Amino acid sequence: ESATEDGERPTYSVATDNNYVPFEFIDQETDELVGFDIDLINAIAEEAGFDIEIEQMEFSGIVSAIPSGRFDIGIAGMTITEERKENIDFSQPYYDAGLILAVLEGSEEEISSIDDVDGKTVATRVGSTSEAYLEENTDANIEAFPEITEAYQSVLTGRADAVLYDKPNVEYYAETEGGGELVTVGDLLQGEQYGIAFPKGSELRDEVDEAMDNLKESGEFDEIYNKWFGG
Ligand code: ARG
């Protein structure tokens, strides 16, 4: 934290991930970190009048680093949950998501919804709301990988029967790297909302919320949204 009283622009540290399409990921051509969250936090910083220093780390690391105050801001498609709210303050919600199941093309009949996963191997990411959902609501054999791309690969190669994860990420992956071989089945499970994360009691949260209000009013938020999710 380096807020100054003499009108100089403060610089805040931002923790994010780099393996969560299309929110934060490395563009294969330019080798740069891009995505909806990256555009959004840059626009917020510009609007609020501060600079940011982005640090990339794996998602579970962000969830545990934010409460410790090591970073001023965390943005990583993080679902606002009651449990996380005990240690983290969240901004207003900025994206409506939810969980969806996906299987290898051709096995939609075997697993057509979450009701069919008991006794099957379901892959997901460790420390995610999907892992918690599977634990609480199913009798599936849960395989929680350090990175979600490994979970997708395990379905594509037939080692896991299905994958459960955030719908926007599943759909984006299915259309790109998934090459059409990963297909979603069943309904959206558990609606979720993403929020920007702050250490408890952070004064920055209100500033960010106000900047987000302005971006929503000016249409800039919609522009960024449409760039990544289509209009
Ligand atoms: N929304 C889910 C959660 O909060 C998954 C988020 C994963 N994000 C990431 N950057 N890998 O648990």
Side-chain angles (χ1 to χ4, degrees):
E1 244 164 274
S2 53
T4 51
E5 264 118 64
D6 55 8
E8 221 181 278
R9 273 168 91 92
T11 299
Y12 296 117
S13 55
V14 175
T16 188
D17 180 19
N18 58 22
N19 193 5
Y20 190 58
V21 290
F23 295 89
E24 49 265 347
F25 62 104
I26 304 293
D27 183 306
Q28 296 302 331
E29 262 143 50
T30 63
D31 228 30
E32 274 177 43
L33 181 68
V34 297
F36 178 73
D37 283 347
I38 307 306
D39 285 349
L40 180 60
I41 198 63
N42 274 303
I44 287 171
E46 194 51 47
E47 174 67 28
F50 57 76
D51 291 323
I52 53 172
E53 230 167 56
I54 292 185
E55 209 170 305
Q56 300 170 37
M57 68 203 67
E58 59 96 23
F59 178 72
S60 321
I62 304 169
V63 179
S64 53
I66 290 297
S68 79
R70 254 182 67 215
F71 298 93
D72 300 306
I73 301 171
I75 185 163
M78 195 186 293
T79 302
I80 302 170
T81 67
E82 288 309 312
E83 194 188 337
R84 288 176 183 158
K85 268 159 77 177
E86 286 171 19
N87 304 307
I88 292 173
D89 279 351
F90 285 99
S91 70
Q92 60 176 292
Y94 69 87
Y95 187 90
D96 291 330
L99 311 181
I100 195 90
L101 197 64
V103 298
L104 186 63
E105 187 178 33
S107 42
E108 301 95 316
E109 273 178 27
E110 210 180 318
I111 299 180
S112 62
S113 82
I114 197 75
D115 301 329
D116 300 329
V117 302
D118 290 354
K120 306 272 187 197
T121 300
V122 182
T124 189
R125 189 197 193 288
V126 74
S128 65
T129 49
S130 292
E131 186 188 27
Y133 183 94
L134 289 166
E135 281 168 0
E136 285 157 27
N137 301 288
T138 74
D139 285 316
N141 308 316
I142 307 164
E143 263 202 72
F145 290 90
E147 293 291 354
I148 194 60
T149 40
E150 300 168 72
Y152 293 139
Q153 280 307 316
S154 114
V155 172
L156 290 171
T157 55
R159 280 171 290 145
D161 301 304
V163 57
L164 181 74
Y165 212 45
D166 298 52
K167 185 164 182 252
N169 181 258
V170 174
E171 286 182 339
Y172 197 96
Y173 185 91
E175 276 171 32
T176 53
E177 279 132 284
E181 283 187 88
L182 196 67
V183 292
T184 61
V185 290
D187 299 328
L188 186 76
L189 305 162
Q190 181 165 286
E192 300 188 347
Q193 291 187 307
Y194 295 167
I196 300 173
F198 303 89
K200 275 266 167 220
S202 164
E203 281 167 22
L204 200 50
R205 192 251 307 255
D206 291 346
E207 225 180 296
V208 164
D209 270 341
E210 195 185 315
M212 195 147 30
D213 283 340
N214 294 342
L215 295 175
K216 284 182 175 169
E217 258 163 55
S218 71
E220 207 180 322
F221 182 95
D222 287 345
E223 256 173 59
I224 297 171
Y225 186 96
N226 291 337
K227 171 179 166 190
W228 292 103
F229 303 103

